[in-house]
Amino acid sequence: MPSLRRTRKKLQKQVIRWTIWLGILLIFVLGMFSGFSWVERQVRGLNLPRTIARVNGEEIPRQQYEQALIRLTQFGSHRLSPQDWAFFKEQIFHELVDNELLRQEAYRRRLRVTRADINKRIDELVQLQLVSARQQYERDKDFRDFVRRQYGSFDALASDLRRQLGRQRSAFEQDLLMEKLQRSIEQEVKVTEKDLLDTYTKFRLRHIFVGFDRFLPKGKQPTDQERAEAKRKALERAKELRERILKGEDFAKLAENESDDPVTKRKGGDLGELSLDAARWRLGEDAMSILPKLKVGDVSEPIESFNGYHIVKLEGKRVEPPEDYNKVRYRCEEKKCGNIWLGEKGEKKCPKCGSTKIKQIGERKKELLDELKQQRVQERRMRLLRELRERARIEIYDPELKAIAASREGNTEEAIRYYREALKIALENPEARRHFLFPDLIHYQLSRLYMGQGKLKEAEREIRKALDYSDDNELHIQLGSILLLQGKKEAALKEFMKVAESSPTPSQRLVLANYFEQLGRKDLAEKQRKLAEKEGGSGGLSIPLTVR
């Protein structure tokens, strides 16, 4: 076995990176696997599906979902409100789905993790832990003495660490698989200097916008089929307008008459100058690849954005690279200096100490290319994940998650039905709370759904039932807002005062200030604002319902 001193020297550059990675990994590993058997035993007595969903036929076990929620409670810095729980349950579910989709994509690409890969990772972590343990002692001798007393030898210590880490081989396998997928994505992304200069190009553009809304039914929530039909009709319309332009019609006049963008149509569709990034957010993701290929005077094919199609005419472009684009990076080799700076090519001495012992260590252009490559890799990964989601067949079995999905899609009655199903399970068995099925949270969500329908009596009934289980401030704020909508101002004020007198968070104080203003109590509103500022500002502000 190599000496500890040689090991420490070899790993010195990796310690920070591996320490961060190890901390994240251990949290994941301990959370994901330590409680699986407990969850499995407890769920047997409940009418809860052991599989919360299937993704393209592959199961997502309840264990994974509940252990993620357990980690949330263990490592969170504050008590979660009903509103927090609703948000995090949805986010955790989507993360589990995304992880499964990426795992399936890795296997589709024939990426595999071998036993040797896992053993290598374990060996690296063992060496890292040895180095980290040594850093807790001032002298090597003290550390060696400790190891001999506790383990007998360094080999025995290393074997013990290796044995402990070996219990989590499946977690290492998943992590290594994701690393291989990341490298596979990186290989797909090629970035040239032209791509880099394109990011510093200003494009002068006009556009005609054809919105999906033009073809959607009015006065009702459109179905998925109606949305798809509206999208098809918008594309057809955009193609027709482009053909008219190519046949000689004036772009600006056509934009004035046909564009669905009320701001730019008055200016003949003039968008002014946009960078490539600004064009992406304004026109859609495909603008990144389409605009650099256009010549001045060209009219693009329809570019899809989140709410319609854009036909774009390029009227001019200019390149403005940063001032340091052609500079190089140097380092002074003088031990007492070590200065690092950007300078012109061919510099001979350090501007700080005057030493001629300098070394060129990089080029700014290359650094910018590397940054762009990482940005494009991340964009490619997100685009891949979006495509995987669109193609995925996701079947949800957990009633609460079904309700969350239905609510997100605007299917209120369906969401209410699934929440009722989840509530029945929660009320029939007290153990349900240990599986994060909370009656107060379900009543809270039902109340919000009824409010969205304008059924204030039903909304009030549900929120009062939630308060039978929890005295959470968010519930009192919700009840107060419902009472205020019903014109019961005194009762609403009473609920808001309960919150004000119970040490609310700064964001809750700002919500209360808004409601106190609506109730004509400017004195109470001002007091809450001052307390919010004193106690920590407005982080995490929830916007209250405005009553007119």
XYZ file of all heavy atoms in Angstrom, residues 33 52 87 129 137 153 198 239 252 273 398 429 455 475 516 534:
141
model
N -31.511 4.467 1.060
C -31.491 3.030 1.335
C -31.686 2.656 2.802
O -32.078 1.537 3.104
C -30.169 2.433 0.829
C -30.045 2.534 -0.659
C -29.347 3.579 -1.236
C -30.659 1.621 -1.484
C -29.251 3.680 -2.604
C -30.563 1.712 -2.860
C -29.861 2.751 -3.412
N -45.682 4.141 -6.986
C -46.416 5.400 -7.134
C -46.677 5.711 -8.605
O -47.624 6.419 -8.931
C -45.689 6.580 -6.469
C -44.326 6.825 -7.110
C -45.558 6.367 -4.973
C -43.686 8.127 -6.698
N -45.869 21.838 -2.918
C -44.843 22.152 -3.917
C -43.774 21.065 -3.966
O -43.432 20.566 -5.050
C -44.210 23.509 -3.598
C -43.006 23.827 -4.445
C -43.169 24.277 -5.741
C -41.728 23.663 -3.940
C -42.056 24.570 -6.536
C -40.613 23.945 -4.716
C -40.777 24.402 -6.011
N -11.143 9.646 1.914
C -11.475 9.636 3.338
C -10.224 9.530 4.193
O -10.152 10.112 5.279
C -12.440 8.485 3.630
C -13.835 8.722 3.078
C -14.860 7.743 3.610
O -14.565 6.935 4.482
N -16.067 7.807 3.086
N -5.625 15.944 12.182
C -4.500 15.866 13.116
C -3.392 16.796 12.650
O -3.131 16.937 11.458
C -3.968 14.431 13.198
C -4.957 13.451 13.811
C -5.952 12.872 13.012
C -4.912 13.121 15.158
C -6.876 11.994 13.557
C -5.821 12.238 15.709
C -6.800 11.678 14.900
O -7.710 10.800 15.445
N -3.782 -1.176 11.585
C -2.950 -0.775 10.448
C -3.783 0.055 9.474
O -5.018 0.055 9.528
C -2.402 -2.006 9.716
O -3.461 -2.710 9.083
N -20.983 34.065 -32.960
C -22.435 34.238 -33.115
C -23.080 34.747 -31.824
O -24.064 35.490 -31.863
C -23.086 32.916 -33.523
C -22.852 32.583 -34.994
O -22.531 33.504 -35.766
O -22.989 31.394 -35.348
N -46.934 29.649 -42.476
C -46.365 29.258 -43.773
C -47.010 30.042 -44.915
O -46.335 30.448 -45.872
C -46.548 27.761 -43.990
C -45.648 26.887 -43.120
C -45.899 25.406 -43.387
C -44.938 24.536 -42.572
N -45.177 23.090 -42.799
N -43.106 44.594 -43.713
C -43.571 45.514 -42.667
C -45.084 45.725 -42.737
O -45.775 45.722 -41.703
C -42.844 46.847 -42.787
N -32.461 45.424 -32.406
C -31.303 44.526 -32.379
C -31.407 43.581 -31.196
O -31.645 44.017 -30.071
C -30.000 45.322 -32.278
C -29.559 45.940 -33.582
C -28.150 46.497 -33.509
O -27.693 46.839 -32.400
O -27.502 46.596 -34.556
N -50.506 6.712 -7.330
C -50.758 7.334 -6.030
C -51.870 8.371 -6.178
O -51.789 9.266 -7.039
C -49.487 8.009 -5.520
C -49.693 8.672 -4.180
O -49.567 7.990 -3.156
O -50.000 9.887 -4.167
N -56.747 5.371 8.390
C -55.589 4.787 9.066
C -54.658 5.887 9.567
O -54.074 6.615 8.769
C -54.834 3.865 8.106
C -53.914 2.929 8.869
O -53.247 3.334 9.808
N -53.890 1.665 8.461
N -66.525 28.480 -5.269
C -67.385 27.846 -4.267
C -66.825 28.144 -2.875
O -66.123 27.333 -2.270
C -67.464 26.336 -4.512
C -68.064 25.971 -5.865
C -68.080 24.462 -6.077
C -68.687 24.091 -7.421
N -68.696 22.610 -7.644
N -52.856 28.107 7.014
C -54.264 27.732 7.019
C -55.133 28.883 7.509
O -56.220 29.136 6.959
C -54.471 26.494 7.890
C -53.677 25.241 7.492
C -54.004 24.081 8.430
C -53.970 24.849 6.053
N -54.399 43.558 5.652
C -54.780 44.635 6.568
C -55.091 45.924 5.796
O -55.990 46.681 6.161
C -53.681 44.880 7.598
C -53.604 43.831 8.674
C -52.375 43.376 9.140
C -54.753 43.302 9.232
C -52.298 42.413 10.135
C -54.698 42.330 10.232
C -53.469 41.884 10.679
N -37.484 44.150 9.794
C -36.597 43.930 10.931
C -36.190 42.465 11.063
O -35.048 42.155 11.412
C -37.295 44.382 12.222
C -36.472 44.191 13.482
C -37.256 44.654 14.701
C -36.466 44.428 15.983
N -37.245 44.844 17.174
